[in-house]
Amino acid sequence: DVTGDGPLVGQTIGQAGLRHLGKVFLVEIVRDGSVLPAVSTEERLQAEDRLVFAGDVSSVLDLQRIKGLRPVREADAAIAQQFPERKLVEVVLSARVR
């Protein structure tokens, strides 16, 4: 979530440095109960925006270091109630080919 009193409020995705993060990609923003897919670099962040990322789980620590973002605990996630079809899934791909 984007914290209401944090430095990210009012910045664009690009200004906040959330577009080119390496191993994770911002796929959508949940704002006021609506989903904004395919987020533009020019989209301005608002307080309490829920940012949804996809990518390497090991990069979650990098996201937690960004001032103005706070992690959402799964038990607290209203999004799980609002969008029950969404699930956190971890996939491991083998480099070995059969």
Side-chain angles (χ1 to χ4, degrees), residues 9-44:
V9 175
Q11 289 190 20
T12 66
I13 299 297
Q15 290 169 334
L18 297 174
R19 176 53 68 205
H20 302 288
L21 293 171
K23 295 183 179 183
V24 292
F25 182 76
L26 177 62
V27 293
E28 64 189 24
I29 296 175
V30 178
R31 178 181 293 154
D32 298 326
S34 298
V35 176
L36 306 175
V39 182
S40 161
T41 303
E42 299 305 312
E43 182 69 42
R44 293 208 175 267

Side-chain angles (χ1 to χ4, degrees), residues 1-2 28-31 48-52 72 76-79:
D1 285 350
V2 176
E28 64 189 24
I29 296 175
V30 178
R31 178 181 293 154
E48 307 306 320
D49 277 354
R50 175 144 308 152
L51 308 182
V52 180
V72 175
D76 299 334
I79 195 169

Side-chain angles (χ1 to χ4, degrees), residues 93-98:
L93 300 176
S94 173
R96 201 171 76 189
V97 178
R98 292 185 183 194

Side-chain angles (χ1 to χ4, degrees), residues 49-66:
D49 277 354
R50 175 144 308 152
L51 308 182
V52 180
F53 292 90
D56 190 336
V57 174
S58 66
S59 297
V60 170
L61 291 176
D62 295 334
L63 293 173
Q64 291 178 343
R65 291 185 188 111
I66 298 174

Side-chain angles (χ1 to χ4, degrees), residues 70-84:
R70 68 174 168 246
V72 175
R73 308 279 182 235
E74 190 168 338
D76 299 334
I79 195 169
Q81 295 169 3
Q82 203 170 14
F83 302 100

